[in-house]
Amino acid sequence: MRRIIDLSLTIEDNMPSHKLFQRPVITTHLSHESSKAFNLGVPGDAMTFQTNFIAMLDHVGTHVDAYRHVNPHGATVDEMPLERFVGKAVCFDLRHIPDLGEITRSDMEMAEAKAGVKVDGHIVLLCTGFHKRTYPGLDCVWKNPLLTVEATRWLHERGSMMHGVEGPSTDKPTDNIFAQHRLCRDLGMSHWEWLVNLEELLGKGEFEFFGVPLKFKGGSGSPVRAFAIVAD
């Protein structure tokens, strides 16, 4: 048996976003009631419809960073190969990491042993329980943990070029150093941010992960519908 686990945050009007970014605006553009004025369909069977207006940055909700996000010479999201956004994955249990805590190399080593999967080119998802603790309060913007540069190098040494976290960033919101993002820029790595439901992946071993972006021309990132397929 195989099961699909949805790892995506619902995109809503005025939902929380990164401290530097505007919240999205989502509203009804045309409703079933207002579209009656087009007189579509046939007598006795009108054809009405709804459309929504969406105004948002390409880094809202569950999203992936393109290389261009932090590298002025990096590939945009439409230039990156689709293969980068899917693949074999493992989820690390890091629920002992507190808000504003730091995920270290030692944490990664212990989590790998606990997961029972040796990282070898895997996408690595990091479950700290942060989303369940904080969302949708303001703590979800201001208290996410840090993936340290040592832990990021640990991933790179094992061929893991993509990883994913629960909060709005892999860097602490309490500083403006962005050491993890800068290292990803230098190593050609990237990540998904604001993943949810990662607890459901703990203890599942290796699984298939999908976090494919929209094909925005020149996009610095994109919302994704992230999900995993696990064997039950």
Side-chain angles (χ1 to χ4, degrees), residues 129-223:
F130 177 74
H131 178 77
K132 283 195 172 183
R133 288 197 301 272
T134 63
Y135 194 85
L138 285 179
D139 281 356
C140 76
V141 175
W142 289 104
K143 291 190 175 181
N144 63 272
L146 163 73
L147 180 61
T148 63
V149 294
E150 293 81 8
T152 305
R153 289 189 185 279
W154 184 91
L155 289 169
H156 186 262
E157 290 164 6
R158 287 152 181 80
S160 176
M161 303 302 291
M162 297 289 290
H163 46 278
V165 299
E166 293 170 281
S169 178
T170 54
D171 282 294
K172 281 186 183 181
T174 50
D175 65 50
N176 292 319
I177 297 172
F178 288 92
Q180 206 275 341
H181 276 75
R182 289 187 291 111
L183 181 59
C184 283
R185 174 198 63 195
D186 296 341
L187 296 179
M189 302 171 70
S190 193
H191 42 251
W192 292 268
E193 294 165 329
W194 236 315
L195 295 167
V196 302
N197 298 329
L198 294 185
E199 290 86 354
E200 294 193 44
L201 297 173
L202 297 177
K204 298 298 184 182
E206 183 179 294
F207 52 85
E208 297 173 73
F209 175 82
F210 301 80
V212 179
L214 299 174
K215 200 173 183 179
F216 289 121
K217 184 174 179 59
S220 69
S222 171

Side-chain angles (χ1 to χ4, degrees), residues 46-59:
M47 204 293 289
T48 63
F49 60 89
Q50 177 176 327
T51 55
N52 292 338
F53 174 82
I54 302 173
M56 58 187 279
L57 301 181
D58 49 5
H59 292 265

Side-chain angles (χ1 to χ4, degrees), residues 38-126:
F38 292 110
N39 294 317
L40 303 176
V42 297
D45 186 14
M47 204 293 289
T48 63
F49 60 89
Q50 177 176 327
T51 55
N52 292 338
F53 174 82
I54 302 173
M56 58 187 279
L57 301 181
D58 49 5
H59 292 265
V60 166
T62 304
H63 67 276
V64 68
D65 287 3
Y67 298 139
R68 179 64 60 87
H69 182 47
V70 291
N71 183 349
H73 306 293
T76 56
V77 75
D78 55 307
E79 296 170 336
M80 293 174 67
L82 280 174
E83 291 81 3
R84 183 62 78 198
F85 307 109
V86 301
K88 62 182 182 179
V90 62
C91 187
F92 281 2
D93 187 351
L94 298 164
R95 288 176 292 177
H96 64 285
I97 302 294
D99 294 353
L100 293 176
E102 298 188 357
I103 301 170
T104 66
R105 186 183 187 97
S106 176
D107 291 319
M108 300 293 274
E109 291 172 347
M110 289 187 291
E112 180 189 45
K114 184 176 181 179
V117 176
K118 184 175 177 61
V119 175
D120 181 17
H122 289 72
I123 293 165
V124 178
L125 309 182
L126 308 177

